[in-house]
Amino acid sequence: MTLAPKHQRLVLVLLAVAALIGAVMLAMWGLSDRAAYFRTPQDVAAGRAEVGVPLRLGGMVEKGSIQRMPDGVSVAFVLTDGVGQVPVRFTGIVPDLFKENSGAIAEGQLGRDGTFVADNILAKHDERYMPPQMGNQAAELMTRETAK
Amino acid sequence: MIAEAGLAALWLAFSLALLQFGLAVASNRLGDLKTLVAPVAVAQGVLTLLSFALLIWLFLRTDTSVQLVAANSHSAKPFIYRFSGAWGNHEGSMLLWVTVLSAAGALLALVERRLPERSLRATLGAQALLALGFFGFLLIASNPFTRLDPAPLQGQGLNPLLQDPGLAFHPPTLYLGYVGLSVAFSLAVGALVTREVGPAMARAMRPWVLGAWVLLTIGIVAGSYWAYYELGWGGWWFWDPVENASLMPWLAATALLHSINVLAARGSLRAWTVMLAVVAFSMSMIGTFLVRSGILTSVHSFAVDPTRGSFILGLLIFYTGGALLLFALRIASVREGARFEIVSREGALVANNLILSVILGTVFVGTLYPVAVEAVSGEKISVGPPYFNATTGPLVLILAAVLFIGPLLRWRRDSRPNLRRIAGPVVVTILAFALTFIDPEMNLLPRLGLAFAAGLAAASFLPLAGRDLRRTPLTIWGMVISHLGIAVAMTGAAADASLTRETLAAARIGEVLTVGPWKVRFNGVDPVAGPNWTAIEGHLVATRGSTAIRLDPQSRYFSSPPTETNEAAITTRLDGQLYTVIGKRQGDRWQLRLWWKPMVTFIWLGGALIALGGLLALIGRLRRERGRPLPLAEART
């Protein structure tokens, strides 16, 4: 079928609008159950973190908390934001910039026993980089550490 | 004095951009003076280049009396990293951005001969207005030439992760791509202002979009490979906001590239093409905003600086909003394009554009959703791979299906498309799908990915069928190779998602580990030293059948600034890569991570083919259109 020019433009506009709406609906569907929520140890302490769903947990690695497991490839540590403390377990090679008193984000799930089982650890990529969500906490924490 | 000269050149260039904009706006009342617009654009470009060259010189000399050099360089660094250090930081990279923007404007003024003069002047005016904003950003919020008093004896060094030859040239490549799209934006604005939206605009725009698209492709592919081998994570796409920031302009530019062809060849899709040109550069600016503002949690963010973020956001709103307003005001006066039927080359290209737009939309929503949620509810969330894979995966499959048939259709109408021609690729797809059941563990999406990729690889050659290969235009070769590249990259991605085997262990010296078809023996470690690092190097010997390969992954330590990095040792075979990383010491054992990744190299091989196809098309276009002015009647439409 050949459409009149006006109608052809109309069809194209409608298609474009439909594509846009489609994109947004698809995105909303995807976000409804796949957006990984960012939580802080404080949230976990206050019970504001769901058990058994994908989450990102961000905080500072507590001083003296890093423990290597006997299998040689697992590590346990505590993420803190000065208020809450969450034990984290991870199997794998931790990123190079993962260390005590430094920011890290664990991706994984919170278990019923309160331990966070991470399947990925993100440490800062640039020595000046700090996740914005943690910028304030870290600054406070460091001031407190210095004050001690 | 070098720093002062650089700053002066920058201010001069800023003034010339102001002059260029003024001349372009008033050109109708200026008489002969209007011919000055192009020379001013060239002078502005030269001055900005000079300013950037002076910054590089400061870095090469490690002049620590300049704050930026002191903060980002060190005289003990290898030459190439003192050189690339000039743009491995916020201020320097923004100066690079402005330099490319100005140089692109200058080049446009020098070479463009096919546009009506009025349109060219309006385009250069738009380009000057773009440059003004970014000059302002540099001079007010990010001056790269600020002095430091007293000057420290030594600089702080460059982040070791950035000390990699690939990374040294990764940002400039991406920036050339980002900013190349600024010319498409300015051409669209110029055409709207002078009401000259038509094939002439499309032909002037096409080489810029092709060039920008090729560079973006190379930048993205190189960045992906860099992340893969340098970070030691064994992954190649993380859906990090900064990666998305380069993907979004690429998607828009890909759509634009296809709609430009319709406009240049057939005169159709005028409003849509102009819109895409505006969107593509806006995506470049959004990318810059995301990277520079630090508003998103990204592993790449440079600095958390609200002032800079809001400055770029202001520029983004001004330029995108202004262009969209102009679009809304002028679009009614854009002439109708030629008609076409739904089943036609045009129809297929519209479908391609719509799918690419939907992919762009979902990536855009996913990337900016956390910002919106935090602004509205204060809740901090982040969107990751589960979302992006689930939404874009199926869309890429649909896109691949459109790619089967699109290139085979004729322009305008194809009432009886020759369906027999696609029978072959369809059979290949079905056979490949059946073959994937050799591995019963595989998920549906990788299965379909492998099947569609096989079919698309076969289909991509069909446009060559029945042609004299030596007389086939380069542009056709470009399309065939790019589409084949999509199939190859899809194969790699699907293989990586479904066939990778991993072994993670703490091994004693002499221990033998197994990964996929390989036996890997751990022969011990040695300390080694480089120019500015020391490392522990693991010695592995991997055997499969009669082949034995040595692999020496390193765990490096840099003292300035104190940082550790992993150097993965990778061996490339015809059927895949063996990827090894050495981790921390645990008593008498060492952490080893081994991956066998079948066909993983196809990801980057495909990316390289996509870029090569674009390059061939660009050469073909430039050759064909050189010195061939448009007939006057066509130039006026």
Side-chain angles (χ1 to χ4, degrees):
Chain A
M1 68 188 159
T2 307
L3 297 165
K6 271 223 166 106
H7 288 142
Q8 182 171 330
R9 179 177 280 193
L10 190 67
V11 167
L12 287 179
V13 167
L14 286 178
L15 276 174
V17 170
L20 201 67
I21 294 174
V24 171
M25 282 177 55
L26 186 66
M28 286 303 152
W29 163 77
L31 286 170
S32 63
D33 58 346
R34 286 182 182 79
Y37 281 77
F38 186 91
R39 294 284 186 247
T40 59
Q42 186 176 357
D43 294 333
V44 177
R48 284 199 306 272
E50 303 81 348
V51 170
V53 297
L55 290 180
R56 283 185 183 180
L57 179 73
M60 308 284 284
V61 181
E62 193 163 82
K63 202 173 175 183
S65 74
I66 301 181
Q67 283 180 295
R68 311 275 167 191
M69 296 290 114
D71 68 356
V73 288
S74 297
V75 59
F77 57 94
V78 174
L79 276 180
T80 180
D81 54 2
V83 183
Q85 287 166 315
V86 182
V88 181
R89 251 198 350 257
F90 171 67
T91 300
I93 296 176
V94 294
D96 304 309
L97 300 173
F98 174 85
K99 52 184 175 237
E100 290 179 351
N101 273 338
S102 190
I105 295 174
E107 286 183 328
Q109 303 192 351
L110 188 63
R112 288 198 187 282
D113 60 350
T115 302
F116 192 87
V117 180
D119 33 46
N120 201 6
I121 301 280
L122 309 171
K124 55 184 189 169
H125 175 90
D126 180 287
E127 73 266 28
R128 283 155 296 186
Y129 167 71
M130 178 72 69
Q133 286 105 328
M134 292 173 47
N136 296 334
Q137 293 169 23
E140 279 169 31
L141 209 64
M142 280 173 186
T143 333
R144 247 180 278 159
E145 290 282 325
T146 329
K148 277 180 207 164
Chain B
M1 287 308 288
I2 303 170
E4 284 67 30
L7 190 59
L10 207 55
W11 275 107
L12 265 176
F14 171 78
S15 326
L16 285 179
L18 202 60
L19 178 66
Q20 182 182 336
F21 178 64
L23 284 172
V25 169
S27 62
N28 287 339
R29 270 155 285 155
L30 287 178
D32 283 348
L33 276 179
K34 69 186 178 199
T35 54
L36 281 176
V37 177
V40 169
V42 175
Q44 183 214 325
V46 170
L47 278 166
T48 326
L49 274 171
L50 174 69
S51 177
F52 186 57
L54 290 172
L55 183 72
I56 292 178
W57 192 6
L58 289 170
F59 267 87
L60 289 181
R61 291 173 34 140
T62 320
D63 184 340
T64 50
S65 71
V66 174
Q67 195 177 344
L68 192 66
V69 180
N72 294 289
S73 198
H74 193 284
S75 57
K77 263 189 339 189
F79 176 84
I80 181 175
Y81 302 122
R82 271 186 282 147
F83 182 64
S84 67
W87 58 77
N89 57 75
H90 167 79
E91 286 83 356
S93 66
M94 288 316 295
L95 181 56
L96 172 63
W97 166 280
V98 173
T99 305
V100 179
L101 191 72
S102 283
L107 192 62
L108 183 72
L110 282 174
V111 302
E112 182 50 53
R113 291 284 170 272
R114 278 163 294 138
L115 270 187
E117 265 180 52
R118 245 159 42 87
S119 284
L120 180 59
R121 274 197 298 278
T123 301
L124 290 175
Q127 191 76 5
L129 190 60
L130 281 181
L132 274 177
F134 287 95
F135 278 130
F137 178 61
L138 267 179
L139 293 167
I140 295 166
S142 330
N143 178 9
F145 296 106
T146 309
R147 289 280 187 186
L148 191 61
D149 192 31
L153 280 174
Q154 197 43 269
Q156 291 175 358
L158 172 73
N159 181 353
L161 277 173
L162 301 179
Q163 297 191 22
D164 180 273
L167 202 65
F169 296 98
H170 170 57
T173 315
L174 273 182
Y175 278 18
L176 283 167
Y178 276 171
V179 186
L181 291 174
S182 73
V183 178
F185 177 91
S186 297
L187 281 166
V189 170
L192 280 174
V193 168
T194 55
R195 297 189 167 84
E196 305 266 12
V197 178
M201 176 204 79
R203 285 177 198 175
M205 201 187 269
R206 183 156 53 190
W208 290 94
V209 177
L210 260 172
W213 183 81
V214 167
L215 289 162
L216 272 179
T217 309
I218 294 173
I220 291 171
V221 171
S224 154
Y225 194 67
W226 174 81
Y228 171 77
Y229 80 81
E230 179 65 25
L231 295 183
W233 297 346
W236 51 278
W237 197 258
F238 300 95
W239 293 109
D240 182 86
V242 173
E243 294 173 343
N244 296 347
S246 64
L247 182 65
M248 291 192 288
W250 186 85
L251 289 167
T254 310
L256 177 59
L257 199 60
H258 290 88
S259 78
I260 278 186
N261 283 333
V262 178
L263 179 48
R266 302 280 313 141
S268 309
L269 297 186
R270 293 170 187 233
W272 179 251
T273 303
V274 167
M275 184 74 183
L276 275 180
V278 171
V279 167
F281 184 61
S282 301
M283 288 299 156
S284 298
M285 281 194 289
I286 287 176
T288 312
F289 166 65
L290 289 179
V291 181
R292 297 293 154 216
S293 66
I295 59 162
L296 281 176
T297 304
S298 156
V299 289
H300 296 68
S301 303
F302 267 101
V304 181
D305 186 338
T307 327
R308 287 169 179 172
S310 32
F311 205 119
I312 299 183
L313 187 61
L315 291 179
L316 176 67
I317 292 169
F318 176 71
Y319 292 129
T320 310
L324 291 179
L325 184 68
L326 183 68
F327 180 80
L329 292 175
R330 282 290 160 85
I331 203 59
S333 67
V334 170
R335 264 181 34 144
E336 286 297 340
R339 279 183 280 166
F340 59 85
E341 290 189 5
I342 289 177
V343 180
S344 63
R345 178 76 72 83
E346 288 98 324
L349 287 169
V350 167
N352 142 311
N353 267 239
L354 290 175
I355 300 165
L356 282 168
S357 305
V358 175
I359 298 177
L360 174 60
T362 55
V363 174
F364 182 81
V365 170
T367 308
L368 290 169
Y369 185 69
V371 185
V373 168
E374 191 171 354
V376 173
S377 69
E379 190 171 19
K380 286 153 184 158
I381 73 157
S382 54
V383 178
Y387 162 80
F388 290 106
N389 290 337
T391 51
T392 57
L395 289 169
V396 171
L397 288 183
I398 301 174
L399 188 64
V402 172
L403 273 179
F404 265 50
I405 188 161
L408 301 176
L409 295 175
R410 283 192 294 265
W411 290 112
R412 211 156 78 80
R413 68 200 176 92
D414 209 340
S415 51
R416 273 173 301 160
N418 194 344
L419 287 177
R420 259 203 329 219
R421 294 181 74 186
I422 65 162
V426 169
V427 170
V428 171
T429 310
I430 295 167
L431 282 179
F433 187 69
L435 259 176
T436 62
F437 283 88
I438 291 176
D439 184 348
E441 305 271 286
M442 217 186 272
N443 287 327
L444 183 63
L445 202 60
R447 261 190 228 288
L448 289 173
L450 287 173
F452 275 63
L456 178 56
S460 61
F461 286 108
L462 287 181
L464 293 177
R467 279 178 182 271
D468 177 353
L469 290 189
R470 271 174 306 176
R471 289 182 174 207
T472 303
L474 271 183
T475 51
I476 302 282
W477 278 109
M479 175 183 79
V480 166
I481 290 175
S482 282
H483 289 177
L484 178 66
I486 302 268
V488 172
M490 268 176 73
T491 307
D496 181 62
S498 54
L499 304 174
T500 298
R501 298 287 173 264
E502 179 184 350
T503 299
L504 176 69
R508 287 191 178 78
I509 291 170
E511 209 169 316
V512 177
L513 304 168
T514 308
V515 59
W518 295 88
K519 297 240 177 291
V520 180
R521 188 185 144 88
F522 178 45
N523 282 342
V525 296
D526 272 324
V528 286
N532 55 348
W533 47 265
T534 56
I536 288 295
E537 186 173 88
H539 301 301
L540 306 172
V541 174
T543 49
R544 176 175 70 169
S546 58
T547 31
I549 298 142
R550 278 193 58 168
L551 289 150
D552 302 313
Q554 293 177 346
S555 178
R556 286 188 186 170
Y557 178 78
F558 289 79
S559 54
S560 174
T563 325
E564 287 170 50
T565 70
N566 254 321
E567 292 292 306
I570 302 172
T571 182
T572 306
R573 306 276 104 189
L574 275 178
D575 58 341
Q577 284 189 327
L578 181 64
Y579 187 116
T580 62
V581 180
I582 185 160
K584 309 267 181 297
R585 183 184 190 148
Q586 307 283 320
D588 62 343
R589 299 185 296 172
W590 297 84
Q591 291 181 336
L592 289 177
R593 168 167 257 159
L594 314 173
W595 272 295
W596 168 239
K597 291 172 167 287
M599 290 192 278
V600 71
T601 40
F602 280 34
I603 295 168
W604 306 289
L605 179 67
L609 285 175
I610 295 171
L612 174 67
L615 193 64
L616 289 179
L618 179 62
I619 294 169
R621 289 289 170 213
L622 291 178
R623 239 201 238 165
R624 192 193 286 188
E625 291 181 12
R626 190 179 51 192
R628 213 182 60 175
L630 288 177
L632 202 57
E634 206 178 352
R636 280 212 200 99
T637 51

